[in-house]
Amino acid sequence: MSALEELFKEANWLRKLNKRDIEAFSQCYDFYAPKIYRHAFYRLGSKEAAEDVTSEVFVRVWEFLTEPTNKIQNLKAFLYRIANNLIIDQYRNKGRQPILIDEVMERGLGDEGREMEKLDSKFEFEALLDSLEKLNQETREILLWRYVDGLSIKEIAEITEKTKNAVYVTIHRGLKELKKIIKNNYEDR
């Protein structure tokens, strides 16, 4: 689906969702649930936790829409903001559990890892995850939203409640920092 088709489809869903159309909600779920799941999986490292977050996102969307005065302005940003808040809650409630690279590789990445299949080798995958962990949490989240989840600068700005310029600067600086980390990791080996 092209970006223009996706925008048109989202605008149509948004119009119908704001009128509490259950069919539009179902279509929206079918389209966005795998994306929200993948995002939650990358952030939490647990299939079960990602499934819980994904389900809860859509429960909260429907609960939000049951209030007659509530309207969603940007569907994708709204979904990811809810997901982000739920992921933060997971970290707070359980403490951050480290993701062991060997466990992830043994389990296989399945559908959750299609983006990672583009990497040339297990070594590069491990190095990238290790390098991402060295970034501060906010920068890591923004880079994942941009390059794994494919969110626009505007959508990330709405999720983080930052200006588009601040998001762009964070991405630019984050990529520079990530390149340095990766370079230093290769030099250390």
Side-chain angles (χ1 to χ4, degrees):
M1 174 181 309
S2 74
L4 185 58
E5 290 172 323
E6 188 174 328
L7 283 173
F8 178 75
K9 190 169 277 207
E10 183 176 328
N12 189 40
W13 283 331
L14 191 56
R15 182 180 55 77
K16 291 179 178 180
L17 281 174
N18 283 328
K19 294 179 180 178
R20 285 76 177 155
D21 183 315
I22 193 77
E23 180 63 29
F25 181 79
S26 177
Q27 292 171 357
C28 176
Y29 176 86
D30 290 343
F31 185 77
Y32 284 110
K35 296 173 186 231
I36 297 295
Y37 171 83
R38 183 182 68 221
H39 176 74
F41 179 80
Y42 281 131
R43 299 267 312 276
L44 296 170
S46 164
K47 183 177 178 181
E48 295 79 17
E51 289 170 351
D52 291 344
V53 165
T54 302
S55 297
E56 186 63 21
V57 164
F58 288 94
V59 167
R60 290 193 183 188
V61 168
W62 190 253
E63 287 173 351
F64 178 84
L65 290 171
T66 59
E67 292 294 321
T69 57
N70 288 346
K71 300 281 187 218
I72 299 171
Q73 301 300 316
N74 181 322
L75 181 58
K76 192 185 293 186
F78 188 72
L79 292 170
Y80 278 93
R81 183 178 303 152
I82 293 171
N84 189 50
N85 290 338
L86 291 169
I87 290 166
I88 290 169
D89 289 346
Q90 290 261 340
Y91 285 143
R92 285 183 188 144
N93 292 338
K94 295 182 180 176
R96 185 150 191 249
Q97 300 293 323
I99 301 172
L100 301 175
I101 301 302
D102 294 336
E103 289 178 16
V104 172
M105 296 310 288
E106 284 175 20
R107 282 194 312 243
L109 294 171
D111 291 337
E112 303 90 7
R114 286 198 178 131
E115 292 295 323
M116 290 301 172
E117 288 175 1
K118 295 177 185 174
L119 294 174
D120 292 330
S121 69
K122 179 179 173 181
F123 175 77
E124 288 177 355
F125 175 64
E126 290 173 2
L128 177 61
L129 285 180
D130 183 51
S131 299
L132 280 169
E133 287 299 316
K134 293 178 182 174
L135 296 173
N136 71 51
Q137 181 179 346
E138 180 184 55
T139 302
R140 182 174 52 249
E141 289 171 358
I142 289 173
L143 289 177
L144 287 171
W145 282 326
R146 182 71 176 139
Y147 297 107
V148 175
D149 297 319
L151 298 182
S152 69
I153 301 291
K154 180 181 177 191
E155 290 165 334
I156 296 169
E158 289 181 25
I159 293 168
T160 60
E161 298 177 343
K162 291 178 172 259
T163 65
K164 290 190 283 187
N165 191 46
V167 170
Y168 178 79
V169 168
T170 301
I171 290 170
H172 179 73
R173 289 180 181 162
L175 288 174
K176 284 178 78 172
E177 186 178 350
L178 187 60
K179 286 178 186 177
K180 284 181 188 175
I181 291 168
I182 291 170
K183 182 180 178 187
N184 289 339
N185 286 346
Y186 280 119
E187 288 174 356
D188 291 343
R189 291 178 189 221

